[in-house]
């Protein structure tokens, strides 16, 4: 693991346990520091209620949010081995309606975030909100791990890059370079590439050359869109080739609401079967 700071933004001691386990493993050597941020997020009761002739407005529950941060810290502290001097827990009060601003401000002081899968059998609105804030407001690469956590070896045997020649994909590749350099093989995966006048005759050749010059061992896989969704093609290829993690750009519908995940990003996050290294 490279030096710097890894962080986990926690809102639930059960749902975020796998992310903490993965982050602890990534920082086991002590070269990187691990910050675990316990977030107490204000919740607002129904907007208003009648009290006699008066209309009373309800206010966000600041005290409950602060108490929740304290509770989270107490629940998570036993997970930290006593010998780990490179791990710190922090409590934060997050204001109602300002999750993107407050969480983004906290996250930006880290080098990368480890997060739990934001979608599951039950609604996970706080996991979605904190992941969105880290990516879109904090501007950080995020390692999203499946439920229960996931082991990412210091030198993975095989990593996969979902490449579509976009700015977001390039940002994700740059963010993952330290890990890509250590991988035994980096599989650059391209689905149904569009060939335009002036393009190279070898799809993915440019990014493969970039990675090779940065010390990665690269191969390129050009796949046909044999399934209805791109996410299904990527997921199947990852399973068939034994990829340990997938690097991909994160996309949002900025015209509607910047923090709405769209298309393939949401589909991959909805059924996260291997760690996803996302950046935007």
């Amino acid at each position: 693991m490279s030096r710097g700071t890894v962080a986990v933004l926690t809102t639930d001691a059960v749902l975020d346990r796998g992310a903490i386990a993965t982050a602890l493993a990534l920082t086991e050597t002590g070269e990187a520091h691990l910050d675990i941020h316990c977030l107490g997020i204000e919740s607002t009761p129904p907007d208003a209620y009648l009290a006699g002739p008066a209309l009373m407005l309800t206010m966000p529950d600041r005290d409950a949010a602060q108490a929740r941060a304290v509770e989270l810290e107490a629940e998570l502290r036993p997970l930290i081995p006593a010998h780990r001097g490179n791990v710190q827990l922090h409590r934060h009060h997050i204001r109602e309606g300002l999750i993107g601003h407050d969480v983004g401000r906290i996250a930006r002081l880290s080098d990368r975030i480890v997060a739990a899968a934001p979608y599951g059998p039950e609604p996970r609105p706080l996991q979605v909100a904190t992941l969105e804030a880290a990516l879109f407001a904090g501007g950080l690469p995020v390692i999203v791990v499946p439920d229960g956590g996931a082991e990412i070896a210091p030198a993975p045997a095989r990593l996969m890059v979902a490449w579509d020649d976009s700015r977001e994909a390039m940002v994700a590749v740059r963010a993952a370079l330290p890990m890509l350099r250590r991988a035994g093989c980096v599989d650059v995966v391209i689905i149904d590439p569009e060939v335009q006048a002036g393009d190279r005759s070898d799809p993915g050749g440019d990014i493969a050359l970039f990675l090779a010059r940065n010390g990665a061992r690269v191969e390129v896989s050009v796949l046909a869109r044999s399934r209805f969704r791109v996410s299904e093609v990527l997921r199947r290829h990852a399973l068939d080739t034994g990829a340990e993690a997938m690097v991909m750009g994160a996309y949002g519908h900025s015209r509607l609401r910047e923090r709405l995940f769209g298309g393939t990003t949401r589909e991959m996050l909805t059924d996260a079967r291997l760690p996803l290294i996302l950046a935007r």
Side-chain angles (χ1 to χ4, degrees):
M1 190 68 193
S2 58
R3 292 180 174 82
T5 301
V6 177
V8 182
L9 306 167
T10 64
T11 60
D12 186 291
V14 175
L15 293 179
D16 294 324
R17 189 168 296 234
I20 292 173
T22 298
L24 284 168
L26 287 172
T27 57
E28 178 65 38
T29 63
E31 292 182 358
H33 181 82
L34 173 58
D35 281 330
I36 299 174
H37 298 284
C38 305
L39 309 182
I41 300 176
E42 289 179 358
S43 60
T44 303
D47 292 338
Y49 64 94
L50 289 173
L55 182 66
M56 306 296 292
L57 296 178
T58 56
M59 299 298 291
D61 196 338
R62 179 187 180 92
D63 291 342
Q66 292 174 334
R68 178 59 183 149
V70 172
E71 180 184 19
L72 262 176
E73 182 184 16
E75 291 173 338
L76 296 175
R77 190 169 291 281
L79 301 180
I80 312 304
H83 71 278
R84 292 295 297 270
N86 64 329
V87 182
Q88 285 183 289
L89 286 92
H90 310 269
R91 297 193 301 267
H92 302 277
H93 161 240
I94 306 299
R95 295 168 290 175
E96 173 74 9
L98 293 174
I99 293 179
H101 175 274
D102 289 352
V103 173
R105 177 178 49 81
I106 295 166
R108 68 185 180 186
L109 298 177
S110 306
D111 296 288
R112 62 197 68 85
I113 302 290
V114 180
Y119 303 107
E122 70 290 329
R124 302 179 181 182
L126 295 184
Q127 274 68 33
V128 174
T130 53
L131 176 58
E132 289 171 343
L135 279 167
F136 293 101
L140 288 174
V142 179
I143 302 173
V144 179
V145 299
D147 287 346
E151 177 118 9
I152 303 178
R158 190 176 188 87
L159 293 178
M160 178 173 156
V161 174
W163 182 251
D164 61 0
D165 203 29
S166 66
R167 183 194 70 84
E168 288 84 356
M170 191 69 231
V171 171
V173 166
R174 288 186 186 278
L177 269 178
M179 189 177 293
L180 294 172
R181 290 189 185 104
R182 295 194 302 272
C185 175
V186 176
D187 184 10
V188 175
V189 178
I190 306 168
I191 299 173
D192 281 350
E194 294 184 5
V195 179
Q196 300 176 0
D199 281 357
R200 292 174 58 115
S201 60
D202 53 337
D206 287 337
I207 186 61
L209 180 61
F210 170 83
L211 286 167
R213 287 174 174 171
N214 275 278
R217 292 165 286 278
V218 190
E219 65 182 43
V220 177
S221 299
V222 180
L223 308 179
R225 186 168 176 170
S226 57
R227 296 169 183 262
F228 179 69
R229 298 181 186 276
V230 169
S231 59
E232 294 173 344
V233 180
L234 292 173
R235 216 176 269 124
R236 170 53 59 185
H237 185 76
L239 179 65
D240 289 346
T241 59
E244 296 177 44
M246 185 186 307
V247 178
M248 63 182 296
Y251 300 86
H253 298 304
S254 57
R255 290 183 181 179
L256 299 175
R257 174 173 170 254
E258 185 176 292
R259 297 189 306 270
L260 266 178
F261 290 120
T264 303
T265 307
R266 183 184 178 93
E267 291 164 7
M268 294 299 299
L269 290 171
T270 300
D271 188 12
R273 302 185 190 179
L274 76 166
L276 302 175
I277 304 172
L278 302 176
R280 187 177 193 277

